Every structure is written in C-alpha cells, then in structure tokens.
Amino acid sequence: MPKLMPVAHVDKTKYTGKKLNVALVGLGRYAAILADGLQASAYCKLAGVVTGHPEKGEAWKKQYNLADKNIYNYSNFDSIDHNPDIDVVYIVLPNSMHKEYTIRAAKGGKHVICEKPMALNAADCEEMITACKNAGVQLAIGYRLHYEPYNLELKRLGQEKVFGQVRLIEASLGYRTTDPGEWRLKKALAGGGPLMNVGIYCVQSSRYVSGEEPTSVTAQFGPVTDNKLFNEVEASIIWQLDFPGGLVSNCTSTYACGVDRFFASADYGQFELSPGISYGPFKGKTSNGELKFPDINQQAAQMDGIGKLILENKPLPSHIAGEEGLKDMKVIDAIYKAAATGERIMLA
Ligand code: NAD
C-alpha cells in the first residue's frame, strides 16, 4: 500500500482555474454535508443534482443557484451524457444503488465518486471498476479520512513503524439506531448492518495503519438487542483480522450504542484516537504525548484531493480509487462469511 501524504489545506481564493462540476445523486443527509464541502472546495463546485423528489430539486436549485438543465431525476439521468457542464457524478444513494448508478454515470462518460461502502459485495465492485475502465472514466470512493490529518498521522505512525511493529489494533465504531423505517436496517438496500455502514472504517484503519492486507478473518455476531429493529441485519458484529507482519486487529461495529475509537499498540509504544473516525473534532495521543492537528472540513479536503487530480488528468492513486473499495469489500465479505459459519476465512 502506498504511503498516504497529507493534502495541504487549499486556499479557495488562490486557485482561479477551471473548477470541476459535480452532480450529487441522492439528496439525503450526507449529500447536504457534501454540498457544504463543495462550497468550501477550491477545485470543485456543485453544478447539478439527481433526485427522485422534484421539490427537493427545486429547493437545491434555489439554494445553490443551479442551472435548470442540471437538475435530473432517476428516469432522465442517462441524458446527462449530453451535458458538458457536468464532469463528475457523485453517488450518495443507499448502498444497493451504488453499482447501478456508477455504471450508468460511467456509460454517460462522467467520472464517478461513489460513497462507501462501494457496493453490496466484491463481485459488484469488480463490475463497477470494469465499467469505469471501459468507459475511460475515473472512479473514486468517498473515503474522507484519507484527507484527515489525525488519520494521516495514524498511517504514518503505523506504516513508518515509529513505535516499532504494530501488534494490536482495537477499533470500534457504532451508534444507537432507533428508527425502524431507516433503509440501513433493510438488507436489500443496505446489504448488511453496522459493518457495511460504519465497521468499514475499522477495516480501513486496520489496513492503512498496517499498510498490509489481512490474511485471515474470524468473526462473531453480537446479541440481537431489539427483535423488531434487527430482523434483517446484524445489531453488532465483532471481528479479528490477522496481518502478515504479526498484527491482530480486533474490531467492533454496532447499532446498539455509541462508540468511536481507534487504539494501536506497537513494540515500543502506543497511539490512539477517540473520537477519531466520525466528522470530528478528533482527540488523540501517543506514548509521547497529545496529538494536535487542525480540525478540517473533511469533505472539502476530499473534494480538493480528488478534484485536483481529475482536473490535471492524472490517475487517482489506488488508495482512493475503486480498487480500495474492492479491497475493503473482500474483507467485509469474509467477515460476514466467518460470522455465519464460525470458521476462520483465509484471504491470502
Ligand atoms: P439518507 O437516507 O439520508 O439519504 C439517501 C438518499 O437516497 C435520500 O435522498 C433518498 O431520497 C434517496 N433514495 C433513493 N432511493 C431510495 C430508496 N429506495 N430508499 C431510501 N432512500 C432512497 O442516507 P445518507 O446518510 O445520505 O447515506 C447515503 C450514502 O452515503 C450511503 O451509502 C452511506 O453509506 C454514505 N454515507 C457516507 C458518509 C461518509 O462519511 N463518507 C456519511 C454518511 C453516509
């Protein structure tokens, strides 16, 4: 895995070249946060939306001063291929829709950013990567923490073995879910429970701190804390990843309670963040003392990092491209298989 370099904070006023025009697909909670990030971005701007709700399209058009012709619905979305004013389609839909809309956007000749989790399984991720390659467009996954200073420091501490070989990681992310109507509790839309939604960050941090791919997985489902809420997806899941360098990573993701922490113990010291995975502000320390970095607009930093490379017609590095989403999904597929069978699943 390549070393991940911090993206310098971009001064919006200093860049005067062309901005990348982004259309957001699916105007839910995260799209609103991304829209704020796009407002603060130097290299990208919000230029269009795709929504199934005409009234939302109208409201967004007014709020962000969007052109009429850049407001699409799910039926006329494919005509985006004739629109030179959209460069990138950013998919912020429920997980089960990521594959279809990535492939449709690629066929329309648009670069694609797709939210995590990339798809429902590794086979779907492979189809998405192939579709984008065939269409000659770039595919990025919305992994905002690859641009976040505290997480970049975790990577540096782990990959550069600042405290020696990391031997143990404990990573947990969860929150309490109470809304039975939430699509995240429907298997057909979400693909799974907290592992698909937030546990993926613990898979990510284990991989980017070690700089390695896991060789085997064991996993256990946690208790069903509410029969009505959790009749399709898991309420909690705990898993263990073994890495070739001698690291074991023990992770939890849950919809039963709030938790947001990362801890690593290496041969000669320790480092941790809590909170360290959500939107911040983050807090962390190492055996040498407190970690102190600026709290940034994670979405603006992500859009600048991806946007600058696309504008320069440079290939996106694999750690933010579709390949990274595929690597996570292979691990997630194995975690679910291990939990369902009780067996150790070999990955390499
Ligand atoms: P949300 O429920 O707030 O929004 C989903 C949007 O999809 C809504 O506008 C809804 O109208 C639309 N939609 C279209 N068809 C739908 C259907 N059949 N069922 C439900 N909604 C439908 O969800 P969200 O929190 O914005 O999450 C969207 C995606 O973004 C997910 O894949 C999620 O994992 C990802 N996400 C990423 C981050 C991050 O930090 N990178 C944070 C939150 C969400």
Side-chain angles (χ1 to χ4, degrees):
M1 189 178 287
K3 291 233 171 73
L4 301 158
M5 301 309 292
V7 176
H9 189 73
V10 183
D11 181 348
K12 203 179 159 187
T13 57
K14 288 210 173 116
Y15 175 73
T16 52
K18 177 190 154 50
K19 288 197 174 195
L20 209 59
N21 288 322
V22 178
L24 293 172
V25 189
L27 303 182
R29 283 161 292 192
Y30 196 56
I33 293 170
L34 284 168
D36 282 347
L38 284 163
Q39 297 291 92
S41 164
Y43 294 105
C44 298
K45 74 169 197 281
L46 179 63
V49 293
V50 185
T51 175
H53 303 272
E55 69 289 354
K56 270 197 212 168
E58 201 51 40
W60 278 62
K61 190 178 89 180
K62 282 206 186 92
Q63 185 172 354
Y64 297 103
N65 197 21
L66 305 175
D68 260 331
K69 68 177 183 62
N70 293 352
I71 313 294
Y72 291 87
N73 58 47
Y74 298 123
S75 310
N76 69 12
F77 168 61
D78 301 286
S79 64
I80 207 165
D81 63 344
H82 296 306
N83 188 341
D85 295 337
I86 302 293
D87 304 304
V88 173
V89 167
Y90 193 147
I91 293 143
V92 208
L93 290 163
N95 309 340
S96 65
M97 301 168 81
H98 291 182
K99 176 174 113 172
E100 177 191 337
Y101 282 84
T102 293
I103 293 173
R104 283 170 71 179
K107 283 188 176 153
K110 305 300 175 190
H111 299 295
V112 185
I113 306 175
C114 177
E115 258 315 314
K116 47 54 62 178
M118 182 172 169
L120 298 188
N121 53 56
D124 285 357
C125 296
E126 274 163 3
E127 267 188 66
M128 293 157 76
I129 291 169
T130 303
C132 290
K133 273 200 183 118
N134 289 345
V137 299
Q138 302 225 49
L139 171 59
I141 307 303
Y143 285 133
R144 57 186 163 76
L145 294 177
H146 284 263
Y147 301 93
E148 192 287 312
Y150 283 89
N151 280 270
L152 289 167
E153 179 65 359
L154 292 189
K155 288 170 205 175
R156 189 186 75 79
L157 294 172
Q159 291 186 19
E160 292 183 6
K161 301 193 189 319
V162 172
F163 294 103
Q165 169 67 44
V166 177
R167 300 289 172 191
L168 171 70
I169 286 176
E170 291 175 355
S172 299
L173 191 59
Y175 61 91
R176 185 157 178 261
T177 294
T178 53
D179 176 7
E182 166 72 70
W183 64 262
R184 286 181 170 84
L185 298 177
K186 311 289 171 222
K187 178 116 197 239
L189 285 165
L195 173 58
M196 293 290 275
N197 184 22
V198 289
I200 188 168
Y201 287 105
C202 305
V203 173
Q204 270 272 295
S205 58
S206 302
R207 290 181 48 246
Y208 58 60
V209 168
S210 65
E212 296 178 339
E213 296 305 320
T215 49
S216 72
V217 180
T218 49
Q220 307 79 39
F221 288 119
V224 177
T225 47
D226 184 321
N227 286 317
K228 282 202 187 93
L229 287 179
F230 303 115
N231 54 18
E232 293 193 30
V233 302
E234 78 276 5
S236 300
I237 186 164
I238 306 109
W239 68 95
Q240 303 77 38
L241 305 176
D242 283 313
F243 287 85
L247 155 72
V248 63
S249 175
N250 190 22
C251 306
T252 308
S253 66
T254 179
Y255 280 156
C257 62
V259 59
D260 178 350
R261 68 185 292 266
F262 172 92
F263 170 85
S265 190
D267 289 337
Y268 314 111
Q270 302 172 343
F271 48 101
E272 63 187 280
L273 297 182
S274 183
I277 310 177
S278 50
Y279 301 144
F282 293 157
K283 211 167 151 29
K285 63 180 182 189
T286 75
S287 300
N288 291 341
E290 196 186 351
L291 288 171
K292 208 73 201 128
F293 293 100
D295 291 311
I296 62 156
N297 181 325
Q298 295 182 26
Q299 290 74 24
Q302 175 199 307
M303 293 313 304
D304 281 337
I306 294 171
K308 184 169 187 290
L309 289 172
I310 293 182
L311 281 166
E312 290 169 349
N313 209 14
K314 291 188 180 150
L316 297 171
S318 64
H319 64 266
I320 53 163
E323 287 74 11
E324 182 74 359
L326 169 63
K327 283 178 185 165
D328 281 341
M329 204 49 66
K330 281 184 177 164
V331 178
I332 287 175
D333 286 351
I335 293 169
Y336 277 130
K337 193 170 171 195
T341 60
E343 287 173 10
R344 177 178 292 275
I345 304 299
M346 303 308 293
L347 281 164

